[in-house]
Amino acid sequence: MSATKTTTRTKAGKCPDHGDVQGEKDFPVASWPLLAYLGRRASAQFKPYRCPQCGKAIT
Ligand SMILES: [Zn+2]
């Protein structure tokens, strides 16, 4: 099996260093087993979007 597939979601936000940026976050693609996917998706939802330039959490 290869690594977990993810898709990148973006959202506009503010980076403490770069100001207005398009934040990025990896989101798991639906996969089997479903329970593992749901767990990954739930944890991804609680992770912050990150600045594509420095990786800091945006607000
Ligand atoms: Zn930044």
Side-chain angles (χ1 to χ4, degrees):
M1 280 291 282
S2 57
T4 305
K5 282 188 179 169
T6 59
T7 180
T8 303
R9 294 200 182 178
T10 59
K11 179 185 157 214
K14 281 191 186 296
C15 169
D17 291 343
H18 299 103
D20 290 322
V21 294
Q22 200 71 17
E24 296 182 344
K25 173 157 80 169
D26 284 338
F27 224 76
V29 174
S31 62
W32 199 255
L34 195 60
L35 207 62
Y37 159 67
L38 290 175
R40 280 197 301 272
R41 194 184 66 170
S43 68
Q45 276 172 339
F46 285 104
K47 285 183 194 160
Y49 283 84
R50 299 201 166 274
C51 172
Q53 295 178 58
C54 67
K56 286 186 182 171
I58 62 169
T59 54

Coordinates of all heavy atoms in Angstrom, one line a residue:
M1 N 0.8 -1.2 0.0 CA 0.0 0.0 0.0 C 0.9 1.3 0.0 O 1.9 1.3 0.7 CB -0.9 0.0 1.2 CG -2.1 -0.9 1.1 SD -3.3 -0.3 -0.1 CE -4.1 1.0 0.9
S2 N 0.4 2.2 -0.8 CA 1.2 3.5 -0.8 C 0.7 4.4 0.3 O -0.2 4.0 1.1 CB 1.0 4.2 -2.1 OG -0.4 4.4 -2.4
A3 N 1.3 5.5 0.4 CA 1.0 6.5 1.5 C -0.5 6.9 1.3 O -1.1 6.8 0.2 CB 1.9 7.7 1.4
T4 N -1.0 7.4 2.4 CA -2.4 7.8 2.4 C -2.6 9.0 1.4 O -1.8 9.9 1.4 CB -2.8 8.3 3.8 OG1 -2.5 7.3 4.8 CG2 -4.2 8.7 3.9
K5 N -3.6 8.9 0.7 CA -3.9 9.9 -0.3 C -4.5 11.1 0.4 O -5.4 10.9 1.3 CB -4.8 9.4 -1.4 CG -4.1 8.6 -2.4 CD -5.1 8.3 -3.6 CE -4.4 7.5 -4.6 NZ -5.3 6.9 -5.6
T6 N -4.1 12.3 0.0 CA -4.6 13.5 0.6 C -5.0 14.5 -0.5 O -4.4 14.4 -1.6 CB -3.7 14.2 1.6 OG1 -2.5 14.5 0.9 CG2 -3.4 13.3 2.8
T7 N -5.8 15.3 -0.2 CA -6.1 16.4 -1.1 C -5.9 17.7 -0.4 O -6.0 17.8 0.9 CB -7.6 16.3 -1.6 OG1 -7.9 17.4 -2.5 CG2 -8.6 16.4 -0.5
T8 N -5.5 18.7 -1.1 CA -5.2 20.0 -0.4 C -6.4 20.9 -0.5 O -6.9 21.2 -1.5 CB -4.0 20.7 -1.1 OG1 -2.9 19.8 -1.0 CG2 -3.6 22.0 -0.3
R9 N -6.7 21.4 0.7 CA -7.8 22.4 0.7 C -7.2 23.8 1.1 O -6.2 23.8 1.8 CB -8.8 22.0 1.8 CG -9.6 20.8 1.4 CD -10.9 20.7 2.1 NE -11.5 19.4 1.8 CZ -12.7 19.0 2.4 NH1 -13.2 19.7 3.3 NH2 -13.2 17.9 2.0
T10 N -7.8 24.8 0.5 CA -7.2 26.1 0.8 C -8.3 27.0 1.4 O -9.5 26.8 1.2 CB -6.7 26.8 -0.5 OG1 -7.8 26.9 -1.4 CG2 -5.6 26.0 -1.1
K11 N -7.8 28.0 2.1 CA -8.8 28.9 2.7 C -8.0 30.2 3.0 O -6.8 30.2 3.4 CB -9.2 28.3 4.1 CG -10.2 29.2 4.8 CD -10.5 28.6 6.2 CE -10.9 29.6 7.2 NZ -10.5 29.4 8.5
A12 N -8.6 31.3 2.7 CA -8.0 32.6 2.9 C -7.9 32.9 4.4 O -8.8 32.6 5.2 CB -8.8 33.7 2.2
G13 N -6.7 33.4 4.8 CA -6.5 33.7 6.2 C -5.3 34.7 6.3 O -4.7 35.1 5.3
K14 N -4.9 34.9 7.6 CA -3.8 35.8 7.8 C -2.6 35.0 8.5 O -2.8 34.4 9.5 CB -4.2 36.9 8.7 CG -5.0 38.0 8.0 CD -5.1 39.2 8.9 CE -6.0 40.3 8.2 NZ -5.4 40.8 7.0
C15 N -1.5 35.2 7.9 CA -0.2 34.6 8.5 C 0.4 35.7 9.3 O 0.4 36.9 8.9 CB 0.7 34.2 7.3 SG 2.4 33.8 7.9
P16 N 0.9 35.3 10.5 CA 1.6 36.4 11.3 C 2.7 37.1 10.6 O 3.1 38.2 11.0 CB 2.0 35.6 12.6 CG 1.9 34.1 12.2 CD 0.9 34.0 11.1
D17 N 3.4 36.4 9.7 CA 4.5 37.0 9.0 C 4.2 37.5 7.6 O 4.8 38.5 7.2 CB 5.7 35.9 8.9 CG 6.3 35.5 10.2 OD1 6.1 36.3 11.1 OD2 6.9 34.5 10.3
H18 N 3.3 36.9 6.9 CA 3.0 37.2 5.5 C 1.7 37.9 5.3 O 1.4 38.2 4.1 CB 3.1 36.0 4.7 CG 4.5 35.3 4.7 ND1 4.8 34.2 5.5 CD2 5.7 35.7 4.2 CE1 6.0 33.9 5.3 NE2 6.6 34.8 4.6
G19 N 0.9 38.2 6.3 CA -0.3 38.8 6.1 C -1.4 37.9 5.4 O -1.5 36.8 5.7
D20 N -2.1 38.5 4.5 CA -3.1 37.8 3.8 C -2.5 36.7 2.9 O -1.8 37.0 2.0 CB -4.0 38.7 2.9 CG -4.9 39.6 3.8 OD1 -5.4 39.1 4.8 OD2 -5.0 40.8 3.4
V21 N -2.9 35.5 3.2 CA -2.4 34.3 2.4 C -3.5 33.4 2.1 O -4.6 33.4 2.8 CB -1.2 33.6 3.1 CG1 0.0 34.5 3.1 CG2 -1.6 33.1 4.4
Q22 N -3.3 32.4 1.2 CA -4.2 31.3 1.0 C -3.7 30.1 1.8 O -2.8 29.5 1.3 CB -4.3 31.1 -0.5 CG -5.5 30.3 -1.0 CD -6.8 31.2 -0.9 OE1 -6.7 32.4 -0.8 NE2 -7.9 30.6 -0.9
G23 N -4.3 29.9 2.9 CA -3.8 28.8 3.8 C -4.1 27.5 3.1 O -5.1 27.3 2.4
E24 N -3.2 26.5 3.4 CA -3.4 25.1 2.9 C -3.5 24.1 4.0 O -2.9 24.2 5.0 CB -2.2 24.8 2.0 CG -2.1 25.7 0.8 CD -0.9 25.3 -0.1 OE1 0.0 24.6 0.4 OE2 -0.9 25.8 -1.3
K25 N -4.2 23.1 3.7 CA -4.3 22.0 4.6 C -4.5 20.7 3.9 O -5.3 20.6 2.9 CB -5.5 22.2 5.6 CG -5.8 21.1 6.5 CD -6.5 21.5 7.8 CE -8.0 21.7 7.5 NZ -8.7 21.9 8.8
D26 N -3.8 19.6 4.3 CA -4.0 18.3 3.7 C -5.3 17.6 4.3 O -5.4 17.6 5.5 CB -2.8 17.4 3.9 CG -1.7 17.8 3.0 OD1 -1.9 18.5 1.9 OD2 -0.5 17.5 3.3
F27 N -6.1 17.2 3.4 CA -7.3 16.5 3.9 C -7.3 15.1 3.3 O -7.0 14.9 2.1 CB -8.5 17.3 3.3 CG -9.6 17.5 4.4 CD1 -9.4 18.4 5.4 CD2 -10.7 16.7 4.3 CE1 -10.4 18.6 6.3 CE2 -11.7 16.9 5.3 CZ -11.6 17.8 6.3
P28 N -7.6 14.1 4.1 CA -7.5 12.7 3.6 C -8.7 12.5 2.5 O -9.8 13.0 2.7 CB -7.7 11.8 4.8 CG -8.4 12.7 5.8 CD -7.9 14.1 5.5
V29 N -8.3 11.7 1.5 CA -9.3 11.3 0.6 C -10.0 10.0 1.1 O -9.3 9.2 1.7 CB -8.7 11.0 -0.8 CG1 -9.6 10.4 -1.8 CG2 -8.0 12.3 -1.3
A30 N -11.3 9.9 0.9 CA -12.0 8.7 1.4 C -11.3 7.4 1.0 O -11.0 7.2 -0.2 CB -13.4 8.7 0.9
S31 N -11.1 6.5 1.9 CA -10.4 5.3 1.6 C -10.9 4.2 2.6 O -11.5 4.5 3.6 CB -8.9 5.5 1.7 OG -8.6 5.9 3.0
W32 N -10.5 3.0 2.3 CA -10.8 1.9 3.2 C -9.6 1.6 4.1 O -8.5 1.8 3.6 CB -11.1 0.7 2.3 CG -11.8 -0.4 3.1 CD1 -11.3 -1.6 3.5 CD2 -13.2 -0.4 3.5 NE1 -12.3 -2.3 4.2 CE2 -13.5 -1.5 4.2 CE3 -14.3 0.6 3.4 CZ2 -14.7 -1.8 4.8 CZ3 -15.5 0.3 3.9 CH2 -15.7 -0.9 4.6
P33 N -9.7 1.2 5.3 CA -11.0 1.0 6.0 C -11.6 2.4 6.4 O -10.9 3.3 6.7 CB -10.6 0.2 7.3 CG -9.1 0.6 7.5 CD -8.5 0.8 6.2
L34 N -12.9 2.4 6.3 CA -13.6 3.6 6.6 C -13.4 4.2 7.9 O -13.3 5.4 8.1 CB -15.1 3.3 6.4 CG -16.0 4.6 6.2 CD1 -15.6 5.3 5.0 CD2 -17.5 4.1 6.1
L35 N -13.3 3.4 8.9 CA -13.1 3.9 10.3 C -11.8 4.6 10.4 O -11.7 5.7 11.0 CB -13.1 2.7 11.3 CG -13.5 3.1 12.7 CD1 -15.0 3.5 12.7 CD2 -13.4 1.8 13.6
A36 N -10.7 4.1 9.8 CA -9.4 4.8 9.8 C -9.5 6.1 9.0 O -9.0 7.2 9.5 CB -8.3 4.0 9.1
Y37 N -10.3 6.1 7.9 CA -10.5 7.4 7.2 C -11.2 8.4 8.0 O -10.8 9.6 8.1 CB -11.3 7.1 5.9 CG -11.9 8.3 5.3 CD1 -11.2 9.3 4.8 CD2 -13.3 8.4 5.3 CE1 -11.8 10.5 4.3 CE2 -13.9 9.5 4.8 CZ -13.2 10.5 4.3 OH -13.8 11.7 3.8
L38 N -12.3 8.0 8.7 CA -13.0 8.9 9.5 C -12.2 9.5 10.7 O -12.3 10.7 11.0 CB -14.2 8.2 10.1 CG -15.3 7.8 9.1 CD1 -16.4 7.0 9.8 CD2 -15.9 9.1 8.5
G39 N -11.3 8.7 11.2 CA -10.4 9.2 12.3 C -9.4 10.2 11.7 O -9.2 11.2 12.3
R40 N -8.9 9.9 10.5 CA -7.9 10.9 9.9 C -8.6 12.2 9.6 O -8.1 13.2 9.7 CB -7.3 10.3 8.7 CG -6.2 9.3 8.9 CD -5.3 9.1 7.7 NE -6.1 8.6 6.6 CZ -6.3 7.3 6.4 NH1 -5.8 6.4 7.2 NH2 -7.1 6.9 5.4
R41 N -9.9 12.0 9.0 CA -10.6 13.2 8.6 C -10.9 14.0 9.9 O -10.8 15.3 9.8 CB -11.9 12.8 7.9 CG -12.5 14.0 7.2 CD -13.9 13.6 6.6 NE -14.9 13.3 7.6 CZ -16.1 13.1 7.4 NH1 -16.6 13.2 6.1 NH2 -17.0 12.9 8.4
A42 N -11.3 13.4 11.0 CA -11.7 14.1 12.2 C -10.4 14.9 12.7 O -10.5 16.1 13.1 CB -12.2 13.2 13.2
S43 N -9.3 14.2 12.7 CA -8.1 14.9 13.2 C -7.7 16.0 12.2 O -7.2 17.1 12.6 CB -6.9 13.9 13.4 OG -6.5 13.4 12.2
A44 N -7.9 15.8 10.9 CA -7.5 16.9 9.9 C -8.4 18.1 10.2 O -8.0 19.2 10.0 CB -7.7 16.4 8.5
Q45 N -9.6 17.9 10.5 CA -10.5 19.0 10.7 C -10.1 19.9 11.9 O -10.4 21.1 11.9 CB -12.0 18.5 11.0 CG -12.7 18.3 9.7 CD -14.0 17.6 9.9 OE1 -14.3 17.0 10.9 NE2 -14.9 17.7 8.9
F46 N -9.4 19.3 12.8 CA -8.9 20.1 14.0 C -7.6 20.8 13.8 O -7.1 21.6 14.6 CB -8.9 19.3 15.3 CG -10.3 19.0 15.8 CD1 -10.9 17.8 15.6 CD2 -11.0 20.1 16.4 CE1 -12.2 17.6 16.1 CE2 -12.3 19.9 16.9 CZ -12.9 18.6 16.7
K47 N -6.9 20.4 12.7 CA -5.6 21.0 12.4 C -5.9 22.4 11.7 O -6.8 22.5 10.9 CB -4.8 20.2 11.4 CG -4.2 18.9 12.1 CD -3.4 18.2 11.2 CE -3.0 16.8 11.7 NZ -2.6 15.9 10.6
P48 N -5.0 23.3 12.0 CA -5.2 24.7 11.4 C -4.7 24.7 9.9 O -3.9 23.8 9.5 CB -4.3 25.6 12.2 CG -3.2 24.7 12.7 CD -3.8 23.3 12.9
Y49 N -5.2 25.6 9.2 CA -4.7 25.8 7.8 C -3.3 26.5 8.0 O -3.1 27.2 9.0 CB -5.6 26.8 7.1 CG -6.8 26.1 6.5 CD1 -8.0 25.9 7.3 CD2 -6.9 25.6 5.2 CE1 -9.1 25.3 6.9 CE2 -8.0 25.0 4.7 CZ -9.1 24.8 5.6 OH -10.2 24.2 5.1
R50 N -2.4 26.2 7.1 CA -1.1 26.7 7.2 C -0.6 27.6 6.1 O -1.0 27.4 4.9 CB -0.1 25.5 7.3 CG -0.4 24.6 8.5 CD 0.8 23.8 9.0 NE 0.5 23.3 10.3 CZ 0.8 23.9 11.4 NH1 1.4 25.1 11.4 NH2 0.6 23.4 12.6
C51 N 0.2 28.5 6.4 CA 0.8 29.4 5.4 C 1.6 28.6 4.4 O 2.5 27.8 4.8 CB 1.6 30.5 6.1 SG 2.5 31.5 4.9
P52 N 1.4 28.8 3.1 CA 2.2 28.0 2.1 C 3.6 28.4 2.1 O 4.5 27.7 1.5 CB 1.4 28.3 0.8 CG 0.7 29.5 1.0 CD 0.4 29.6 2.5
Q53 N 3.9 29.6 2.6 CA 5.3 30.1 2.5 C 6.1 29.7 3.7 O 7.3 29.4 3.6 CB 5.3 31.6 2.4 CG 4.7 32.1 1.0 CD 4.6 33.6 0.9 OE1 5.7 34.2 1.0 NE2 3.5 34.1 0.8
C54 N 5.6 29.8 4.9 CA 6.4 29.5 6.1 C 5.8 28.3 6.9 O 6.4 27.9 7.9 CB 6.5 30.8 7.0 SG 4.9 31.3 7.7
G55 N 4.6 27.9 6.7 CA 4.0 26.8 7.4 C 3.4 27.1 8.7 O 3.0 26.2 9.4
K56 N 3.4 28.4 9.1 CA 2.7 28.7 10.3 C 1.2 28.7 10.2 O 0.7 28.9 9.1 CB 3.2 30.1 10.7 CG 4.6 30.2 11.2 CD 4.9 31.6 11.8 CE 6.3 31.7 12.2 NZ 6.7 33.0 12.5
A57 N 0.6 28.4 11.3 CA -0.9 28.4 11.3 C -1.4 29.8 11.0 O -0.9 30.8 11.5 CB -1.4 27.9 12.7
I58 N -2.4 29.8 10.2 CA -3.0 31.1 9.9 C -4.3 31.3 10.7 O -4.8 30.4 11.3 CB -3.4 31.3 8.4 CG1 -4.5 30.2 8.0 CG2 -2.2 31.1 7.5 CD1 -5.1 30.5 6.7
T59 N -4.7 32.5 10.8 CA -5.9 32.8 11.6 C -7.0 33.4 10.7 O -6.7 33.8 9.6 CB -5.6 33.9 12.7 OG1 -5.0 35.0 12.1 CG2 -4.6 33.3 13.7
Ligands
ZN1 ZN 3.7 32.9 6.4

